[in-house]
Structure formats: structure tokens, C-alpha cells
């Protein structure tokens, strides 16, 4: 907050398409989709109108003991889209992760007994900022402060190829993961993973085949797999969901961020029938899942989410992505040879450029240089909003960005990196 106040961050007043406008009327590209959630651009008429239309009926009514038309319609669509037959709504990604963890725990204890109180996650994982989601988080700077407050999680290595000591990142990481499963099989409630990309850690890409191996090993041992698609869902990786890249079927799928097109807070944890049915019983059996949020399944948010899914169909959003993804790849390939560009990682419309002080040794810049942040400041001057993850510059534009807009943003990013490193 100290430097934030000193730097005078822009105050955003309105948006249009992929642009944001601040209170001085200055226009910026929104190159991080307003923290990874905007999908079809700001003020999309279809989504704007859906919210207005819903507002003329009702803004919110509870799902505790009642249903609501818009949340039911959304559920029907999500079930078709994900193949997961049961949906539980919350209002943030973290909240939906909590639901996934609590359900997985209650389900596993009931089946396997009380010893089932451990989760398996990955180093560098990010699943949100509430204490349950922090317990399965593996980013030390975010999470280590809270360690005394957290439940026990076993951390498998992050498949971070760029910083893995050998060439066999995938095999060695999977081997360690399997050892953990074998050592603690009876005590594990669930494995939690960000499929394909560890986003908040700096867009770390899982090697091809990694996710499907994790699924195979968990299925063999009858351990629940929770796939947290809060960042990767809704087209971000080039397919509707990241699990689609390896045809993986999780037991629990967690959705957030892009679910409403980036308009309103809504998230969901989606479950298999087996899990759902284990919570059914006569009242006095008390098999309930005691969990419910005030704004669960909010009607305005559901209306926005339905409209966003309609836009996917009408505008053929996914079909149009491949040439955009290719364009980003092409522009990035020119950056690879730059002296301080250590690694470039891209999965669809989700990308990071890791800057390093010394390319040969992969030595990071010292913290006080705030190199990632310097790029942000340079980009801001050039009319683009971005937000780094440490010294990894993030490029995560709305899926609706045109080829020209992408080219312009990538040009600004490239210039900003050069300027930030130049003054170093
Ligand atoms: C952002 C994110 C979350 C947390 O979502 P919030 O809505 O910020 O609580 C959880 N998991 C992943 C993978 C995320 O990227």
C-alpha cells in the first residue's frame, strides 16, 4: 500500500471492449482481463442486457431451501458443458475451493474412516486466499505466514521444467507424486491440482501427459481428484476447460473467474453423482453438507453467466482462438533471444515471460529491483494495464481481443520489458 499510494495507480471509471478508461480519460488495454476473468470484453451488449433483463425480475433470492430460475438454467448449461452432473455455487474461486475440500473430506471420511484427513497438492500451487485454500497453497511468499493456522497438506513437487535440476522434470515429478500417494494412501482425502497451468506461480506449464498421469494414479487408488479450473476454465487455455486437453475427468471441478464473462462474482464446485448421492439420506441420518453462502447462485450473476455462454456460441469464441494463440506464439518467439528473458510459457491465451538477471545461470533479479513491477509501470505509460507475478510478466488478454489488438498489446509488452531492463 505504501508504494501504491506513492505511484498514483489509475482509477478506472469505465470500460469498452478490451479497453479501460481512467478518471482522467486515459485509455488502457486490459491485457490481464481484469485479473484473468474478463472473457468477451467489457460492456458486451449481450451480457449487459441479460443483467438488465434479470434486474427487472429479481436481483437475488436464496438457494437455501428454494430454487431460482436463472441459477437452474445456468446449472443445466454447466452440466452439459462440463459433464459434471451436480453444481454447488459460491461467490469466489476461494469459496468454491473450500466447498470442494470440505465435500471431499466428508465423502472420504465416510468411506474410508477418520484417518483420511490429508490433502495432496503441489509446490507452487495457488487455490485462493481463504484458510482452507491457503492450506493447499504452495507459494511460500503468499502462504508461509499462515502455516500455524493451516491443516496438513502433502506437497508434491511442482513440474517447473525451467528450474528443474535435470532434463526429466515430468518423470521425476510424477515419481515423487506417486511415492506420496503410496506412503499415505489411507490418509489422503483428495488431490488438488490446477490442470495444465499453475497460474499464480508464474504460468508454470505442466508437461504434456502430466495431468492424465495424475488422474490415472489417483483413480487407481480411489482418491478424489479436484481440478481447480478457476483460472483455466472458460476458454482460457484454448479449449473450454484445461482438462479437455488430456480428456481428464475429475471427481470435482472448480470454476470461477471467467464463469460470468468477468462481470459478477460467481463460482461453482461441480461433483460426480457418486459424491452427490453420498450426501443423501433421511433427515435424522444427518448426511448433509452443512455449507451455504448468502449469495450462492445469485440471480444477476447467473444471468451474466448464461449470457456469457451464449456469446461463446454466437461469436464462435473458441473456434476463433487458434489464430490468436498462434499470433502470440509468433511474437513471443522473437522475445526468446533477448538477454534477460529467461523463459516464456504459454498455454492458449494464458502466458508468462520470466525475466532473469542472468540468463546463463537463471539467476533471478534481486527483490528490491521489482523488475516485474517496473514493466507494469512502463506498460501503464504506454497505455496498457498489466500485473506481474514476481518477475514473470503476465499476458492474459480477453479472449475477444482481435488480432490487431493482440499485436498492439504485445508490442507494448515488448517495449515495456526493454525499457524496464534498460534502466536497470
Ligand atoms: C484466482 C484463483 C483462485 C481464487 O479465486 P478468487 O475468486 O480470487 O477467490 C483459485 N484458484 C485458482 C487456480 C485461481 O487462479
Amino acid at each position: 500500500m505504501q508504494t501504491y499510494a506513492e505511484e498514483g495507480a489509475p482509477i478506472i471509471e469505465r470500460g469498452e471492449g478490451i479497453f479501460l478508461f481512467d478518471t482522467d480519460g486515459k485509455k488502457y488495454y486490459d491485457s490481464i482481463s481484469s485479473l484473468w476473468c474478463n472473457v468477451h470484453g467489457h460492456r458486451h451488449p449481450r451480457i449487459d442486457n441479460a443483467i438488465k433483463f434479470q434486474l427487472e425480475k429479481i436481483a437475488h433470492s436464496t438457494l437455501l431451501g428454494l430454487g431460482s430460475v436463472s441459477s437452474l438454467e445456468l446449472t443445466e448449461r454447466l452440466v452439459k458443458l462440463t459433464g459434471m452432473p451436480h453444481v454447488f455455487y459460491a461467490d469466489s474461486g476461494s469459496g468454491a475451493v473450500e466447498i470442494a475440500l470440505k465435500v471431499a473430506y466428508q465423502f472420504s471420511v465416510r468411506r474410508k474412516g477418520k484417518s483420511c484427513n490429508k490433502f495432496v497438492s503441489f509446490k507452487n500451487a495457488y487455490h485462493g486466499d481463504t484458510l482452507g485454500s491457503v492450506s493447499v497453497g504452495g507459494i511460500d511468499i503468499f502462504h508461509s505466514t499462515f502455516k500455524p493456522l493451516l491443516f496438513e497438506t502433502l506437497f508434491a513437487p511442482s513440474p517447473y521444467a525451467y528450474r528443474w535440476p535435470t532434463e526429466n522434470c515430468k518423470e521425476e515429478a510424477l515419481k515423487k507424486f506417486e511415492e506420496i500417494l503410496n506412503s499415505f494412501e489411507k490418509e489422503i482425502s483428495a488431490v488438488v491440482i490446477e490442470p495444465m497451468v499453475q497460474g499464480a506461480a508464474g504460468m508454470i506449464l505442466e508437461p504434456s501427459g502430466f495431468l492424465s498421469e495424475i488422474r490415472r494414479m489417483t483413480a487407481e487408488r480411489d482418491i478424489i481428484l479436484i481440478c481447480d479450473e478457476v483460472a483455466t476454465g472458460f476458454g482460457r487455455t484454448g479449449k473450454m476447460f484445461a482438462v479437455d486437453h488430456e480428456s481428464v475427468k475429475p471427481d470435482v471441478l472448480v470454476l470461477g473467474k471467467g464463469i460470468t464473462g468477468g462481470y459478477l462474482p460467481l463460482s461453482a464446485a461441480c461433483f460426480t453423482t457418486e459424491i452427490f448421492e453420498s450426501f443423501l439420506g433421511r433427515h435424522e441420518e444427518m448426511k448433509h453438507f452443512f455449507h451455504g453462502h448468502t449469495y450462492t447462485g445469485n440471480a444477476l450473476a447467473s444471468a451474466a453467466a448464461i449470457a456469457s455462454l451464449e456469446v461463446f456460441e454466437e461469436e464462435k469464441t473458441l473456434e476463433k482462438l487458434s489464430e490468436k494463440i498462434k499470433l502470440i506464439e509468433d511474437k513471443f518467439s522473437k522475445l526468446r533471444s533477448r538477454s534477460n528473458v529467461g523463459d516464456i510459457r504459454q498455454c492458449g491465451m494464458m502466458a508468462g515471460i520470466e525475466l532473469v538477471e542472468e540468463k546463463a545461470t537463471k539467476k533471478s533479479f534481486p527483490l528490491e529491483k521489482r523488475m516485474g513491477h517496473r514493466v507494469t509501470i512502463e506498460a501503464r505509460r504506454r497505455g496498457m494495464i498489466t500485473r506481474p507475478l514476481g518477475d514473470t510478466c503476465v499476458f492474459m488478454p480477453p479472449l475477444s481481443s482481435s488480432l490487431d489488438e493482440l499485436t498492439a498489446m504485445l508490442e507494448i509488452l515488448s517495449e515495456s520489458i526493454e525499457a524496464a531492463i534498460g534502466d536497470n
Side-chain angles (χ1 to χ4, degrees):
M1 280 313 292
Q2 190 173 320
T3 50
Y4 177 89
E6 286 161 7
E7 280 166 4
I11 307 299
I12 302 304
E13 187 168 59
R14 63 189 185 90
E16 192 71 56
I18 70 157
F19 293 99
L20 299 172
F21 297 83
D22 72 10
T23 43
D24 296 329
K26 189 166 179 198
K27 181 177 176 183
Y28 304 91
Y29 286 99
D30 184 2
S31 82
I32 46 154
S33 301
S34 290
L35 235 295
W36 316 1
C37 64
N38 190 280
V39 180
H40 307 293
H42 299 282
R43 302 231 43 221
H44 193 290
R46 191 92 165 102
I47 310 177
D48 285 10
N49 286 331
I51 295 171
K52 287 179 195 157
F53 189 69
Q54 179 61 43
L55 195 52
E56 293 189 353
K57 295 183 186 160
I58 190 167
H60 178 69
S61 60
T62 185
L63 291 195
L64 277 70
L66 300 176
S68 79
V69 171
S70 57
S71 70
L72 282 170
E73 186 183 335
L74 174 61
T75 305
E76 226 166 81
R77 284 172 180 270
L78 287 177
V79 168
K80 266 202 204 116
L81 200 61
T82 61
M84 305 292 292
H86 299 281
V87 182
F88 198 120
Y89 292 108
D91 38 40
S92 69
S94 312
V97 167
E98 298 289 338
I99 291 165
L101 297 172
K102 285 173 70 179
V103 165
Y105 173 72
Q106 197 169 335
F107 175 74
S108 302
V109 165
R110 212 169 266 159
R111 278 195 318 169
K112 303 190 198 168
K114 283 230 170 358
S115 64
C116 235
N117 63 353
K118 293 185 178 62
F119 287 89
V120 178
S121 179
F122 294 83
K123 197 78 200 130
N124 292 324
Y126 179 81
H127 296 288
D129 286 338
T130 53
L131 286 175
S133 57
V134 167
S135 295
V136 292
I139 303 178
D140 286 343
I141 52 162
F142 296 170
H143 302 140
S144 61
T145 311
F146 303 103
K147 213 160 192 174
L149 306 181
L150 308 179
F151 58 70
E152 189 173 352
T153 298
L154 306 162
F155 286 96
S158 163
Y160 192 177
Y162 177 62
R163 295 197 178 275
W164 196 270
T166 69
E167 294 291 302
N168 294 328
C169 172
K170 179 181 163 189
E171 290 70 23
E172 290 172 21
L174 284 171
K175 188 160 169 277
K176 281 265 161 41
F177 174 78
E178 190 163 34
E179 283 166 15
I180 292 175
L181 293 195
N182 290 341
S183 307
F184 296 93
E185 191 168 336
K186 299 269 173 319
E187 295 157 64
I188 296 169
S189 214
V191 170
V192 195
I193 189 168
E194 293 160 88
M196 302 303 286
V197 189
Q198 292 189 306
M203 307 299 160
I204 295 170
L205 303 183
E206 292 157 24
S208 153
F210 187 81
L211 180 66
S212 52
E213 275 298 292
I214 298 289
R215 173 70 284 190
R216 183 185 65 73
M217 292 179 194
T218 46
E220 273 176 11
R221 295 165 177 83
D222 205 15
I223 293 172
I224 289 184
L225 180 66
I226 301 171
C227 287
D228 175 356
E229 293 243 19
V230 172
T232 51
F234 300 98
R236 187 44 70 184
T237 65
K239 294 192 184 279
M240 191 50 106
F241 298 107
V243 290
D244 299 340
H245 288 277
E246 302 197 352
S247 307
V248 159
K249 293 246 161 281
D251 302 295
V252 187
L253 181 71
V254 183
L255 305 173
K257 290 195 169 97
I259 189 171
T260 60
Y263 265 62
L264 286 163
L266 183 76
S267 63
C270 310
F271 298 95
T272 59
T273 298
E274 190 194 4
I275 294 177
F276 173 76
E277 286 183 346
S278 77
F279 288 83
L280 301 179
R282 290 187 316 279
H283 175 75
E284 62 275 21
E285 289 179 84
M286 285 285 139
K287 287 185 161 184
H288 309 53
F289 177 51
F290 284 99
H291 189 118
H293 293 295
T294 307
Y295 286 102
T296 181
N298 175 264
L300 291 177
S302 298
I306 295 164
S308 173
L309 293 176
E310 284 168 351
V311 175
F312 267 102
E313 285 168 24
E314 281 160 17
E315 297 185 358
K316 304 202 179 331
T317 306
L318 290 182
E319 290 89 321
K320 287 181 189 157
L321 283 183
S322 57
E323 56 178 351
K324 301 180 185 183
I325 293 167
K326 178 81 180 39
L327 178 112
I328 300 170
E329 260 169 44
D330 287 348
K331 301 276 175 194
F332 275 177
S333 65
K334 300 196 176 73
L335 289 177
R336 261 179 216 283
S337 57
R338 291 257 188 99
S339 56
N340 298 83
V341 171
D343 194 22
I344 297 185
R345 301 183 282 268
Q346 182 194 358
C347 183
M349 300 289 280
M350 190 168 183
I353 300 175
E354 183 171 340
L355 302 178
V356 290
E357 185 162 49
E358 254 181 43
K359 202 161 168 155
T361 59
K362 304 182 182 176
K363 184 172 157 239
S364 303
F365 281 104
L367 208 54
E368 62 273 18
K369 288 226 162 139
R370 295 195 79 191
M371 200 45 74
H373 183 67
R374 283 199 202 183
V375 175
T376 297
I377 300 296
E378 293 293 342
R380 198 184 284 169
R381 268 191 212 136
R382 291 167 172 78
M384 185 170 89
I385 301 297
T386 180
R387 184 172 171 84
L389 296 159
D391 288 339
T392 297
C393 306
V394 172
F395 189 63
M396 218 153 146
L399 305 190
S400 62
S401 307
S402 69
L403 294 175
D404 286 345
E405 288 167 336
L406 289 171
T407 305
M409 284 187 275
L410 288 161
E411 190 54 39
I412 294 176
L413 186 62
S414 161
E415 283 174 16
S416 306
I417 290 174
E418 193 160 288
I421 286 170
D423 320 319
N424 150 41

